Amino acid sequence: MRWCCPRKLFVLAKAGFLLWVLWLGYVLLARSSFHSSPSSSGEEEDHDLVARQLSAQEVEQLARPLYVKPPPDHNTPGEMGRATHLNLGPEEKKREEDSVERYAINIYASDKISLHRHIQDHRMKECRSKKFEYRRLPTTSVIIAFYNEAWSTLLRTVHSVLETTPAILLKEIILIDDYSDRGFLKSKLEDYFSNLDRVRLIRTNKREGLVRARLIGATYATGDVLTFLDCHCECVPGWIEPLLERIGQNATTIVCPVIDTIDWNTFEYYMQTDEPMIGGFDWRLTFQWHPVPEVERRRRKSRIDPIRSPTMAGGLFAVSKAYFEHLGTYDMGMEVWGGENLELSFRVWQCGGSLEIHPCSHVGHVFPKKAPYARPNFLQNTVRAAEVWMDSYKQHFYNRNPPAKRETYGDISERLLLRERLKCNSFEWYLENIYPELHVPEDKADWHGAVRSLGVNSDCLDYNSPEHNPTVL
């Protein structure tokens, strides 16, 4: 028993010594790790930097278009979107005037401009710096219908799409020739497009008009998204990504680019650098541009957020192919073009979708000096839109368009069944929730029509809403 206590002390001392050794090792290891941490941190930062650089290189490769534009030649007419001014002799001037008479566009000047010209990117800086996850964006088929279009404006449109749209996103360009009768649009055009990848030319066997021609193109499309363009456009780099990203976020949205103006005479490119306008209409069912209302400005969190628009111009927009078919595509009873833009605008809003303009997507459009061909069925088209979608508010349209009351507009029973099947909202709902800025006139029975001056037959009494213009003679 005498040795029991010393033995216990010996065991305790040994355990204490081992604990001290372990503690000392921990301290030395911790100090060593502390001193080496800046080096480790630096190695991690270097690794992250390399990863970011590789990612940037990959993104650049993913954003690469199918064809790359040749370097800009600043000595050529119209380069970088500048105006084209030509010094012409009498014979050349006559040819220029003839081209304007034939196309309502100065095609003589257009022929002098490169088919691959560059457009200076003056979009908002937030748009230019925005990054996209290209592998997650839906693909698109670009559909372009044309009828007797000039050679240079048509080809410049096609090259513009090929040279500004990332190859990973572009399924194809589908061109629908709506029974053109000009010789250069026959075998010569086929030969030209046969040398371009992802370009398909489809010809109708009779005149169909814009609406049905576009639908023919849509049936051949293999992309997730249908992007409709006119046949005299030029796309700014970065135009398609915002449209596809937005549809990827919300497939029930129709998204339009900002439509910049290309001068019909000089081909100068005018880019809208500030807040774009939105679409509206008056009670004659005429499309109009309007400033963005204050309530919409407050709703958006950033100036590059999409802007809700009551209507669209109709020539340029993107839509999910599946949603477009669900929504009933175009009204096949409409002829040529005109009115289909308002009809589709009413339908998408009233039937649960939305219509937006994306401030980061810019496409230039040549607005002709006048309509290049007649639109005899324009009034019929607008009457169809009014009868299907406007409910009792269509009377305001008829009051301002007396000839429309006598217009035959065909069978609309299928469109009315479509409205019922989609459980669409009323036109009153549309006015209250989508376009409350539109003044609704207080028409009274027998108190509408035209008031004309007996002295000056060319003048009549016109009326706009009080906040826009007073009544004027």
Side-chain angles (χ1 to χ4, degrees):
M1 295 296 294
R2 288 180 302 181
W3 295 97
C4 183
C5 187
R7 275 182 195 161
K8 289 182 179 179
L9 289 174
F10 176 76
V11 171
L12 289 173
K14 188 175 180 181
F17 176 77
L18 288 172
L19 288 172
W20 179 82
V21 169
L22 288 172
W23 177 82
L24 182 63
Y26 170 77
V27 170
L28 291 174
L29 182 62
R31 290 186 63 186
S32 173
S33 299
F34 175 78
H35 287 301
S36 65
S37 62
S39 174
S40 300
S41 176
E43 289 175 4
E44 289 176 5
E45 289 177 0
D46 290 343
H47 180 269
D48 290 342
L49 180 61
V50 171
R52 286 197 299 269
Q53 288 173 343
L54 288 173
S55 177
Q57 292 171 1
E58 183 183 18
V59 168
E60 184 179 354
Q61 187 62 33
L62 291 172
R64 187 179 178 86
L66 191 62
Y67 294 93
V68 178
K69 284 183 183 289
D73 182 353
H74 295 279
N75 295 318
T76 58
E79 191 57 59
M80 304 307 294
R82 295 193 306 268
T84 300
H85 299 288
L86 305 173
N87 294 319
L88 305 177
E91 291 186 9
E92 294 173 314
K93 189 66 179 174
K94 178 66 167 61
R95 289 200 292 270
E96 181 184 57
E97 291 170 353
D98 289 345
S99 75
V100 173
E101 181 64 28
R102 189 176 194 186
Y103 295 101
I105 296 172
N106 188 348
I107 297 303
Y108 189 86
S110 175
D111 292 345
K112 305 294 182 184
I113 299 171
S114 169
L115 299 178
H116 313 274
R117 79 161 173 173
H118 294 249
I119 301 297
Q120 200 156 356
D121 188 357
H122 288 302
R123 294 177 302 155
M124 292 181 282
K125 63 181 181 180
E126 296 95 327
C127 295
R128 298 196 302 271
S129 62
K130 184 173 172 57
K131 306 300 181 186
F132 297 93
E133 296 184 63
Y134 284 91
R135 296 191 189 280
R136 296 189 177 183
L137 295 180
T139 60
T140 188
S141 298
V142 177
I143 299 171
I144 303 169
F146 68 93
Y147 169 71
N148 282 346
E149 182 64 22
W151 180 265
S152 58
T153 48
L154 178 60
L155 296 191
R156 192 177 296 111
T157 302
V158 173
H159 283 293
S160 177
V161 173
L162 289 172
E163 295 164 359
T164 59
T165 307
I168 193 174
L169 303 178
L170 180 65
K171 276 288 188 177
E172 71 250 318
I173 300 175
I174 300 175
L175 292 123
I176 306 93
D177 174 14
D178 190 17
Y179 211 56
S180 299
D181 56 17
R182 290 176 182 165
F184 62 85
L185 295 175
K186 303 301 181 182
S187 60
K188 181 182 177 182
L189 189 66
E190 291 174 7
D191 292 343
Y192 190 95
F193 286 148
S194 67
N195 295 313
L196 295 176
D197 292 337
R198 303 191 200 179
V199 177
R200 185 172 187 181
L201 177 61
I202 298 167
R203 299 189 189 275
T204 64
N205 54 20
K206 64 184 178 69
R207 188 85 165 91
E208 296 286 357
L210 176 70
V211 170
R212 288 196 291 272
R214 283 184 162 186
L215 280 178
I216 290 170
T219 61
Y220 287 94
T222 61
D224 304 315
V225 172
L226 306 175
T227 302
F228 295 100
L229 295 181
D230 281 346
C231 51
H232 30 258
C233 291
E234 292 181 64
C235 305
V236 174
W239 74 284
I240 193 65
E241 292 93 324
L243 305 181
L244 299 181
E245 181 185 59
R246 184 60 183 140
I247 292 172
Q249 295 167 347
N250 183 357
T252 65
T253 299
I254 294 179
V255 194
C256 306
V258 178
I259 304 176
D260 297 324
T261 298
I262 301 175
D263 188 88
W264 67 266
N265 189 34
T266 67
F267 279 77
E268 183 172 5
Y269 193 108
Y270 296 96
M271 181 174 288
Q272 298 183 54
T273 56
D274 297 322
E275 181 181 79
M277 306 281 272
I278 62 170
F281 64 93
D282 62 19
W283 288 104
R284 296 180 184 87
L285 292 190
T286 302
F287 175 82
Q288 296 178 337
W289 291 108
H290 294 289
V292 178
E294 191 57 38
V295 65
E296 178 62 10
R297 288 197 183 101
R298 290 196 299 268
R299 184 192 68 83
R300 296 163 65 226
K301 297 183 175 123
S302 162
R303 65 176 187 158
I304 66 170
D305 284 347
I307 305 168
R308 292 177 180 172
S309 181
T311 67
M312 64 174 170
L316 290 66
F317 68 94
V319 59
S320 158
K321 183 179 181 182
Y323 182 62
F324 190 55
E325 292 169 351
H326 165 78
L327 202 59
T329 67
Y330 277 118
D331 179 353
M332 290 288 283
M334 291 193 170
E335 299 289 339
V336 191
W337 66 277
E340 81 287 344
N341 58 322
L342 295 186
E343 191 277 337
L344 185 53
S345 300
F346 296 158
R347 180 156 36 108
V348 67
W349 278 120
Q350 289 176 239
C351 302
S354 58
L355 177 60
E356 299 174 344
I357 296 173
H358 205 301
C360 288
S361 175
H362 281 251
V363 177
H365 180 268
V366 183
F367 291 91
K369 183 180 180 182
K370 60 181 180 180
Y373 47 85
R375 295 186 296 165
N377 302 102
F378 173 75
L379 189 56
Q380 171 191 309
N381 292 352
T382 53
V383 170
R384 287 181 69 89
E387 287 291 332
V388 174
W389 298 105
M390 292 182 68
D391 304 327
S392 62
Y393 288 89
K394 66 187 176 185
Q395 196 58 45
H396 297 308
F397 163 65
Y398 287 127
N399 289 346
R400 283 148 189 80
N401 256 311
K405 297 178 182 178
R406 302 186 295 273
E407 191 72 25
T408 57
Y409 52 85
D411 184 7
I412 60 170
S413 58
E414 287 189 8
R415 307 309 287 179
L416 292 172
L417 285 173
L418 172 71
R419 177 175 174 175
E420 183 179 349
R421 176 172 61 82
L422 295 177
K423 296 180 171 54
C424 304
N425 289 301
S426 67
F427 198 72
E428 183 174 16
W429 175 91
Y430 170 85
L431 293 175
E432 291 176 352
N433 294 275
I434 307 304
Y435 200 10
E437 297 79 21
L438 180 65
H439 173 74
V440 179
E442 298 179 9
D443 290 350
K444 298 179 181 178
D446 301 323
W447 284 78
H448 55 80
V451 178
R452 295 193 174 276
S453 168
L454 295 176
V456 185
N457 292 331
S458 60
D459 289 349
C460 67
L461 196 67
D462 196 8
Y463 174 79
N464 286 308
S465 56
E467 63 270 21
H468 292 113
N469 287 296
T471 303
V472 295
L473 184 64

